[in-house]
Amino acid sequence: MKAATRRQDYNEVPAVNAMVSNGISEGPQQAATAESSSATVPAAAVPILPPSPTSFEAELMSVDTAIDSLGTGPFQLRVLFAAGLCFAADSMEIMLLSFLSAILQSEWALTTGQTATITSCVFAGSLTGTLILGPLGDRIGRRPVFLACGIIISVFGVATAFASNYVELVATRFLVGFGVGGLTVPFDILAEFLPTRIRGRYLLLIEYFWTAGSMAVPVVAYFTVGSGLSWNLFVLICAIPCIASFVMGALLVPESPRWLLSRGRTEEALQILRDAAAVNRMDPMAVFPNGTELEDEEEETGKFSDLMSPKWKRITLLLWG
């Protein structure tokens, strides 16, 4: 029994020695590992820094979305009144012909044909102006043509009051009509600044300026010509709304962002939209933050015959009918 026990103890000695030797050899490694672990900062303790203010992702925005983001406010009202005064001025220049023709037929002893020419030359000028100024607004921009129309009507409306003979009168009235032919451009620039949800209402409101101008002419005629004053003063007063429209347009109406985008001038378009947001009492950088990019606007082209294409035929016939 004792011999067997000593034999078992003797057999266990190598195993104990191996365990001791392993423990001695692993000790320094485990200690080094412990020191390394204690020197390493846990991942949860590493602070997560916020992104740099200059780091952002570009946000692509269509021009329609950008215009809708402006909402409705003082900016749209400015454009409405500037374009509306242009409408009122145009209607006054057309309506005053009813009084001016009758007065000059008597004072200058004009024939019936000459009297009719005073009126028809304005519409001839309007037709010419529409064919030239409309496409020009697509080529050089809405704002320059808007201001050019205001200058033309103002200058030659005033010049009409100083016409001393029939030829001068016809020439000045033709050029007034030429400016009236650009009436579509103020309408366009207003429409291109309006959010979708109010566009129809504002484009209806601008027509009331035309009505107001037409109604103002008989009142002006009553207090000038009807009171024994000269027709020259009557014509001068009728030119005042167009002068006011030009001043408002020059000071308050920027270029259309939609037209700028069609020319690839995205930075200018974005800055105009931010300025418009500021006028509407909005934070421009909240509406259009850093990194906002506007989609390029493709310019649409067409021919006169497109009016009878399946897409536009119904609308064309309704407007012409």
Side-chain angles (χ1 to χ4, degrees), residues 198-212:
I198 64 162
R199 188 172 299 156
R201 189 195 331 156
Y202 270 63
L203 295 181
L204 177 63
L205 286 175
I206 197 174
E207 300 296 339
Y208 287 105
F209 284 88
W210 182 280
T211 304

Side-chain angles (χ1 to χ4, degrees), residues 123-139:
F123 291 101
S126 179
L127 176 62
T128 306
T130 300
L131 296 175
I132 295 176
L133 296 175
L136 193 61
D138 293 332
R139 181 173 300 177

